Amino acid sequence: MKVGIIGTGYVGLPTGVGLAELGNEVTCIDYDSKKIETLQSGKLTIYEDGLEELFCKNVETKRLKFTTSMKEGVMGADVVIIAVGTPPHPVTKEADMKYIYSAATELAEYLTDYTVVATKSTVPVGTGDDIETLISKKNPFANFDVVSLPEFLREGYAIHDFFEPDRIVVGANNERAKNVIKELYKPFVGKTKMLFVKRRSSETIKYASNAFLAIKIHYINEMANFCEKTGADIMEVAQGMGLDSRIGPKFLNPGPGYGGSCFPKDTMAMAFMAHKNDVDMTLIKAAIEGNRQRKKQMAERILETVKDIENPKIAVLGLAFKNGTDDCRESPSMDIVSELINQGADIIAYDPKAMRTACIRLGNKIQYADNMYQPLKDADVLAVLTEWDDFRKLDLHQAGQLMRHKNIVDCRNLLDKEEAKANGFNYQGIGR
Ligand code: NAD
């Protein structure tokens, strides 16, 4: 099939690569000419495990193309996928729809034969109707349907999740559109659970899922606070809870709070939608506030270990919002580091993948290291903020020799607590 994808970010690019790999003719469109030039020159603009190999392969076979021209990507396409951002509105915190609306308006005039316009961006309930109206207004002759096709990929596992999704949800209001999407996802039929629902249900499933996961993280973080007061160990508690198939083991890792480009903005957007519809969603509101406080609490915990030291030097391991990605959007690390800087600490940080993206946000307010040992030199405390596997291998004996004071605040419970203690560290994990 011929597919146009609008937006070549963390969703659009892996989706484009994946659909090309399945044999489709894919054109990725982005108005960011720098991104398109980079992609056209055969280089990637984001880091994702396994993306590079498939990207190169499909560019070479010419099944995957990049352009800034909406016309080139949309004209003659069977399916046009909208994968632009829906960031929080700067004032109201609802989903800011300006990118969606402008993409819908721009694509309208290039719709020729019957086309399915599918929204992969996370959009408020009712957006499909708005897109329909916008397109019809701009091009009254357009023959099209709008489908909701929410994306559930996890950053860091985008390629894995593209080829082995837990489920594919399709919100289509008629059979014709449904059949086009069935054709696009033919390789998954019989292998993956496909759920066909009303468009408004599909739009809601995405927000309901993300808000639920955010609440689960908030819950385990509160439970970790409880364990700290009572002598229980949250890792054991989480393990015991996770063995219950009704609960499941995922999203029960205590940490510095949820982050990334989705949970923070989607919980806020969900709370806004609930308020607008006169529904009081107390759990979501509690998770949003609890998560805000969580990052503050983590910064306070780190600062407490160096409270008697003038100009403390803090070694930070981990800047990305989670492992496997270079994405620092809403990373707890960014908020925690900013708070540490505000309190007068010197920071030197290392992340295996996110140094470039962190630098865009933090600039020269911190120093950046080349490896995970460099920040430790003369540091007064080590703060572990992202759960990269590499950090598990940190040689704690060597770390102890490099540091000025042997303090560790392990916000991910990644290091071996007993080994840290045996090496003379004042070790603090989370909830234990
Ligand atoms: P992103 O910011 O990484 O990428 C969006 C891209 O769209 C940018 O490259 C931007 O230049 C481009 N763009 C915006 N308006 C455009 C227009 N009119 N024409 C052409 N290009 C345009 O965003 P993302 O992380 O890929 O997220 C996209 C959507 O998918 C969001 O709604 C997000 O909530 C949702 N989502 C994201 C994830 C994730 O893990 N990042 C997972 C599921 C769903």
Side-chain angles (χ1 to χ4, degrees):
M1 293 176 96
K2 210 169 161 207
V3 183
I5 300 185
I6 307 173
T8 58
Y10 286 87
V11 167
L13 187 55
T15 304
V17 169
L19 288 172
E21 177 66 14
L22 293 179
N24 299 290
E25 206 181 303
V26 179
T27 305
C28 293
I29 310 144
D30 206 298
Y31 62 18
D32 183 335
S33 52
K34 258 195 182 156
K35 270 191 190 178
I36 292 300
E37 274 166 32
T38 307
L39 293 162
Q40 282 173 338
S41 73
K43 290 193 204 99
L44 280 175
T45 43
I46 57 167
Y47 174 78
E48 267 295 339
D49 256 0
L51 182 62
E52 193 166 9
E53 192 190 329
L54 291 183
F55 166 78
C56 294
K57 181 178 158 196
N58 285 284
V59 165
E60 204 169 299
T61 57
K62 299 203 171 14
R63 278 201 300 261
L64 183 60
K65 289 186 197 139
F66 298 94
T67 180
T68 51
S69 155
M70 194 61 89
K71 183 178 176 184
E72 203 180 319
V74 170
M75 218 167 209
D78 300 295
V79 181
V80 174
I81 294 174
I82 301 180
V84 301
T86 45
H89 187 279
V91 179
T92 61
K93 305 297 176 200
E94 67 191 295
D96 191 338
M97 299 301 286
K98 65 176 181 231
Y99 301 107
I100 296 280
Y101 293 155
S102 79
T105 312
E106 285 167 49
L107 73 85
E109 65 178 297
Y110 304 114
L111 295 179
T112 45
D113 301 331
Y114 176 72
T115 311
V116 168
V117 176
T119 315
K120 257 204 182 296
S121 302
T122 302
V123 292
V125 60
T127 299
D129 304 21
D130 296 343
I131 293 177
E132 234 166 53
T133 308
L134 278 171
I135 295 177
S136 300
K137 242 191 200 165
K138 185 84 193 282
N139 180 358
F141 303 106
N143 182 12
F144 71 102
D145 276 307
V146 177
V147 161
S148 159
L149 201 58
E151 180 54 64
F152 300 103
L153 67 77
R154 298 163 301 163
E155 275 183 37
Y157 303 89
I159 289 296
H160 171 274
D161 290 352
F162 179 88
F163 290 102
E164 286 177 55
D166 281 344
R167 84 280 212 198
I168 293 168
V169 173
V170 185
N173 287 350
N174 70 49
E175 283 303 309
R176 190 175 185 191
K178 208 161 135 179
N179 288 334
V180 170
I181 299 299
K182 260 190 192 159
E183 181 63 25
L184 183 67
Y185 282 101
K186 208 172 179 181
F188 297 97
V189 174
K191 280 203 294 188
T192 303
K193 286 173 215 145
M194 283 181 90
L195 181 67
F196 291 91
V197 293
K198 270 163 60 174
R199 196 165 64 200
R200 283 183 176 237
S201 304
S202 170
E203 289 166 342
T204 305
I205 285 170
K206 177 64 193 173
Y207 279 109
S209 304
N210 273 3
F212 183 81
L213 294 173
I215 289 168
K216 202 172 174 190
I217 294 172
H218 170 58
Y219 179 78
I220 202 68
N221 283 340
E222 283 199 331
M223 202 49 77
N225 289 344
F226 177 78
C227 288
E228 283 169 12
K229 296 278 166 137
T230 57
D233 183 331
I234 191 66
M235 301 310 274
E236 293 175 353
V237 172
Q239 193 183 8
M241 287 171 65
L243 289 172
D244 184 331
S245 59
R246 293 168 304 176
I247 298 173
K250 292 182 181 162
F251 286 80
L252 286 181
N253 299 320
Y258 59 76
S261 68
C262 293
F263 290 179
K265 82 171 173 66
D266 292 348
T267 43
M268 285 193 293
M270 186 68 233
F272 183 90
M273 282 190 283
H275 179 70
K276 201 170 136 194
N277 287 284
D278 215 7
V279 178
D280 193 11
M281 290 194 142
T282 55
L283 282 178
I284 293 176
K285 286 192 281 187
I288 294 169
E289 178 53 20
N291 201 58
R292 194 183 65 76
Q293 284 177 15
R294 184 80 184 155
K295 293 175 276 187
K296 256 184 134 17
Q297 287 161 8
M298 293 300 109
E300 279 162 14
R301 190 172 291 201
I302 296 162
L303 287 166
E304 179 65 22
T305 63
V306 291
K307 66 174 191 293
D308 298 326
I309 301 167
E310 226 177 284
N311 300 324
K313 187 178 165 196
I314 300 179
V316 167
L317 289 184
L319 295 165
F321 83 93
K322 65 172 190 174
N323 63 332
T325 180
D326 63 350
D327 197 349
C328 285
R329 290 178 288 181
E330 296 292 326
S331 169
S333 204
M334 295 296 106
D335 285 346
I336 295 169
V337 165
S338 298
E339 181 65 19
L340 298 176
I341 298 168
N342 289 344
Q343 298 303 321
D346 274 346
I347 313 278
I348 173 159
Y350 172 72
D351 186 288
K353 298 289 177 201
M355 304 293 268
R356 185 187 60 84
T357 42
C359 190
I360 294 169
R361 287 174 164 72
L362 297 169
N364 59 7
K365 288 190 202 147
I366 66 168
Q367 292 178 64
Y368 301 91
D370 296 327
N371 59 60
M372 63 179 166
Y373 289 97
Q374 206 180 340
L376 302 177
K377 185 149 185 335
D378 299 327
D380 298 302
V381 56
L382 160 62
V384 181
L385 300 183
T386 310
E387 70 276 39
W388 286 103
D389 263 345
D390 283 4
F391 300 159
R392 288 181 208 278
K393 297 176 206 144
L394 190 78
D395 181 330
L396 289 167
H397 177 69
Q398 194 181 338
Q401 286 183 325
L402 286 167
M403 290 175 70
R404 186 162 57 182
H405 291 97
K406 289 185 166 191
N407 292 307
I408 294 178
V409 178
D410 183 357
C411 295
R412 299 284 186 173
N413 288 343
L414 207 68
L415 304 176
D416 187 322
K417 174 174 136 188
E418 297 311 323
E419 199 189 327
K421 284 187 176 162
N423 278 287
F425 279 99
N426 160 34
Y427 172 90
Q428 286 183 56
I430 299 290
R432 41 204 332 214

